[in-house]
Amino acid sequence: MEKLSISDLHIILVEPSDTQRKIITTLLLKENVKEIDPVSTLSEARSAVKAHGADLIVSAMYYEDGTALELLKFIKEDDEFKSIPFMLVSSENRLSKLEEFKQAGVAAILPKPFEPLHLSRALNASLDLINHDELELDLFDVHDVRVLLVDDSKLARNHIRRVLEGMGLQRIQEAENGAAALTLIKDQAFDLVVTDYNMPEMDGRELSEFIRFNPETTHIPIIMVTSESADSAHMANIQQTGVNALCDKPFEPNEVRQMLSALLGN
């Protein structure tokens, strides 16, 4: 399948403000996007997706008839549309509100206003989700790498799985928390663990400590995916449990590719 470039993208832009819609459209055109379908409401967005799909949805957070979270869940819970990347553009800075989008598998979050550089990076991250580029490893066949994916959000697991599968990883098992993951680890061998941090019953820190301090599993590389700042003092303490890499949500393919090359290339 031929890879898409930014100029090939068909974007649905959901923005209730005429002024903001014009500003974002102008910036997208400057990035060489040629096909932009502007709408202003949740119902219009759903109709546009149903009518002709999209390569990418760029959306504000609030509309007069709903929210971007409703649109994101509508897309991610539909088998026909769930692979469409979703980019949120919002002035919202409350962590609790943004966390909902990160857990639901948003591809990128841009502030309002944003710099062209931010938009370019977000567009390229979205392209990485669309264009599958298999990871090449010296010591492994990427198809044989056994991955355990641990996250209490089904939508987040779906998003991370798509990123990993786009790189050629096929043997992926899922668990909804650390306790369920331990049950699998005790019975099966894994080459990589990708785990969320905040989970019920057993969180990512406790799971990582078990893996790292158990002689049978101490060798397994661990990527911890978190919405918290990777340079915070709290996350520095998490890294001391033996986590090999910290990855922010949204789970960006290019960042993950570099981590996997480093962790599985040795």
Side-chain angles (χ1 to χ4, degrees):
M1 182 177 175
E2 189 174 342
K3 291 184 179 181
L4 296 183
S5 65
I6 288 177
S7 63
D8 297 319
L9 292 176
H10 166 217
I11 294 178
I12 294 178
L13 171 60
V14 195
E15 172 55 70
S17 162
D18 289 340
T19 300
Q20 287 294 321
R21 205 159 55 244
K22 289 174 183 174
I23 290 172
I24 296 172
T25 295
T26 298
L27 290 170
L28 286 170
L29 290 171
K30 286 183 178 178
E31 291 295 328
N32 206 28
V33 177
K34 293 182 168 56
E35 191 174 358
I36 304 167
D37 188 0
V39 297
S40 59
T41 67
L42 176 61
S43 60
E44 288 176 353
R46 282 176 170 159
S47 296
V49 171
K50 288 179 181 177
H52 44 68
D55 296 312
L56 171 64
I57 293 172
V58 178
S59 175
M61 183 175 280
Y62 302 109
Y63 330 124
E64 64 180 27
D65 61 342
T67 70
L69 192 60
E70 292 174 80
L71 178 59
L72 178 56
K73 288 183 175 179
F74 161 74
I75 292 161
K76 296 302 178 185
E77 292 171 355
D78 189 298
D79 286 341
E80 185 178 354
F81 309 126
K82 65 184 181 182
S83 63
I84 301 174
F86 192 104
M87 184 191 305
L88 178 70
V89 183
S90 176
S91 56
E92 179 65 74
N93 56 16
R94 286 176 291 176
L95 295 179
S96 60
K97 290 294 183 183
L98 296 176
E99 176 71 13
E100 294 177 315
F101 286 88
K102 292 178 179 181
Q103 294 294 349
V106 69
I109 299 177
L110 291 182
K112 278 184 181 176
F114 56 81
E115 299 294 328
L117 181 64
H118 297 150
L119 178 60
S120 177
R121 178 179 175 181
L123 287 171
N124 281 299
S126 299
L127 274 178
D128 283 340
L129 289 170
I130 297 168
N131 294 325
H132 294 171
D133 192 3
E134 198 164 283
L135 186 67
E136 293 185 5
L137 301 171
D138 292 334
L139 304 178
F140 286 94
D141 181 336
V142 70
H143 301 153
D144 293 334
V145 175
R146 299 160 296 184
V147 181
L148 178 57
L149 169 57
V150 193
D151 199 306
D152 58 315
S153 165
K154 177 64 175 173
L155 291 176
R157 290 201 308 274
N158 288 346
H159 176 70
I160 294 171
R161 175 183 275 272
R162 276 195 295 275
V163 172
L164 296 175
E165 287 179 340
M167 296 178 190
L169 293 114
Q170 299 175 353
R171 301 177 64 181
I172 303 172
Q173 292 208 53
E174 298 182 14
E176 61 185 13
N177 57 50
L182 280 190
T183 301
L184 292 172
I185 288 172
K186 288 174 181 176
D187 293 334
Q188 300 176 52
F190 291 96
D191 303 305
L192 174 69
V193 172
V194 180
T195 180
D196 188 22
Y197 171 58
N198 288 307
M199 295 181 291
E201 294 193 48
M202 178 184 282
D203 64 21
R205 178 187 60 80
E206 295 168 309
L207 173 62
S208 299
E209 286 180 339
F210 176 89
I211 293 171
R212 196 54 72 230
F213 296 118
N214 182 331
E216 295 180 358
T217 58
T218 187
H219 64 283
I220 303 174
I222 304 169
I223 296 176
M224 184 172 287
V225 187
T226 176
S227 303
E228 302 194 30
S229 172
D231 59 1
S232 69
H234 180 58
M235 293 314 296
N237 291 334
I238 297 302
Q239 210 154 11
Q240 290 176 9
T241 65
V243 171
N244 297 87
L246 290 171
C247 184
D248 294 334
K249 287 182 179 179
F251 195 68
E252 288 193 6
N254 189 48
E255 181 183 6
V256 175
R257 177 181 298 281
Q258 293 175 19
M259 288 181 180
L260 291 179
S261 293
L263 293 176
L264 300 176
N266 297 321

